[in-house]
Amino acid sequence: MGLGVRAAPFTYVAHALAVAAAAMVLVWCIHFRGGLAFEATNKNLIFNVHPVLMLIGYIILGSEAIMVYKVLPTWKHDTTKLIHLILHAIALVFGAVGIYCAFKFHNESGIANLYSLHSWLGIGTICLYGIQSTKIYNTFIELGSFIVVVDICPWIFGFVAFFFPRASPSLRKGVLPWHILFGLFVYILALATAELGFLEKLTFLQSSGLDKYGAEAFLVNFTALIVVLFGASVVVAAVSPARVEEPHEYAPIPES
């Protein structure tokens, strides 16, 4: 699948929007919400770590992992593959810490956990992303007279199949489209979860007296819009070739 245009322009747009989104969420949490802390008497400071880590660490770094093949198309495939894996692992750690901060804030503030659609999708997304090695999907690939069942979560699957110990070239070629498709699905799910998070937090703030047309409300809404545009740029970059003459695939897999 491809659009017949190079991915590079979309990666430039994505990087610019990523910087804007990161700056805006920091301004929101530090300037308007009072700062960041893992331990504080003001429990809101603990919560503030959550949107910062989830956006900057989980979504933006995860996006960089998705785009690395298009950002560095001339680098050796094994090098970009390693960067892809490391960035996803870092994003996963940031996401786990971000979710921990949300639970910590709720527990120390006497607020119930896991009651909203945002929280349900958030837990589900990060589990799909790679924390739990539960049954995610079955991909049947015919190799001669054998049927290979792929039944592991995306990050673990990517590590084992594409990095170490690494599956055979024919198996990797068969699995790659499903790995890309499922990865983009999880990425879009993460974006949707972030949008619900912005909406949920802003609704709580407005019900507590925040001016619906004030500077903070506009900042949160515009941050959410930037994240939507950012995610769209990343997805388009992911499905576009690094060079127009190349097949519209994520990255070639060498036979050897």
Side-chain angles (χ1 to χ4, degrees):
M1 179 175 62
L3 302 177
V5 294
R6 293 175 62 245
F10 298 101
T11 64
Y12 301 151
V13 172
H15 286 124
L17 292 173
V19 171
M24 292 168 78
V25 78
L26 285 171
V27 170
W28 177 37
C29 292
I30 295 175
H31 176 70
F32 286 99
R33 294 288 96 204
L36 311 170
F38 284 104
E39 296 288 344
T41 54
N42 180 1
K43 304 306 178 185
N44 290 313
L45 303 186
I46 299 174
F47 175 83
N48 292 345
V49 178
H50 175 72
V52 170
L53 290 185
M54 299 311 290
L55 179 58
I56 297 177
Y58 188 54
I59 290 181
I60 292 180
L61 284 182
S63 300
E64 293 295 335
I66 290 173
M67 294 190 295
V68 67
Y69 294 105
K70 308 306 172 69
V71 174
L72 305 171
T74 61
W75 286 36
K76 291 179 61 178
H77 180 72
D78 285 346
T79 302
T80 52
K81 182 167 57 179
L82 178 60
I83 296 172
H84 173 80
L85 186 73
I86 291 173
L87 286 174
H88 270 316
I90 296 172
L92 185 60
V93 171
F94 273 69
V97 176
I99 289 179
Y100 164 78
C101 288
F103 274 93
K104 181 178 175 64
F105 163 72
H106 279 207
N107 293 336
E108 295 185 8
S109 302
I111 301 173
N113 289 305
L114 299 176
Y115 61 87
S116 67
L117 180 60
H118 168 68
S119 62
W120 294 356
L121 287 180
I123 293 296
T125 300
I126 202 164
C127 287
L128 292 178
Y129 200 91
I131 282 186
Q132 294 181 359
S133 57
T134 53
K135 186 172 183 179
I136 303 301
Y137 59 89
N138 292 329
T139 304
F140 296 89
I141 305 165
E142 186 171 357
L143 295 177
S145 59
F146 296 96
I147 297 295
V148 177
V149 179
V150 178
D151 188 15
I152 42 183
C153 65
W155 192 88
I156 295 175
F157 164 69
F159 182 87
V160 172
F162 297 104
F163 189 72
F164 182 82
R166 182 186 291 186
S168 65
S170 56
L171 177 57
R172 281 181 281 140
K173 283 187 174 183
V175 169
L176 184 62
W178 293 99
H179 178 63
I180 297 169
L181 179 63
F182 197 80
L184 286 177
F185 167 74
V186 174
Y187 176 71
I188 292 171
L189 191 61
L191 292 172
T193 303
E195 295 303 306
L196 285 174
F198 284 121
L199 175 62
E200 181 179 301
K201 184 62 176 179
L202 186 57
T203 300
F204 286 155
L205 292 174
Q206 289 174 342
S207 65
S208 300
L210 182 72
D211 184 1
K212 292 181 173 60
Y213 297 97
E216 182 176 355
F218 278 112
L219 176 63
V220 175
N221 281 329
F222 275 111
T223 303
L225 286 175
I226 292 295
V227 171
V228 170
L229 296 175
F230 168 66
S233 300
V234 172
V235 171
V236 173
V239 300
S240 299
R243 291 179 289 274
V244 175
E245 65 272 15
E246 287 185 349
H248 303 326
E249 297 175 353
Y250 205 62
I253 293 181
E255 290 293 344
S256 57

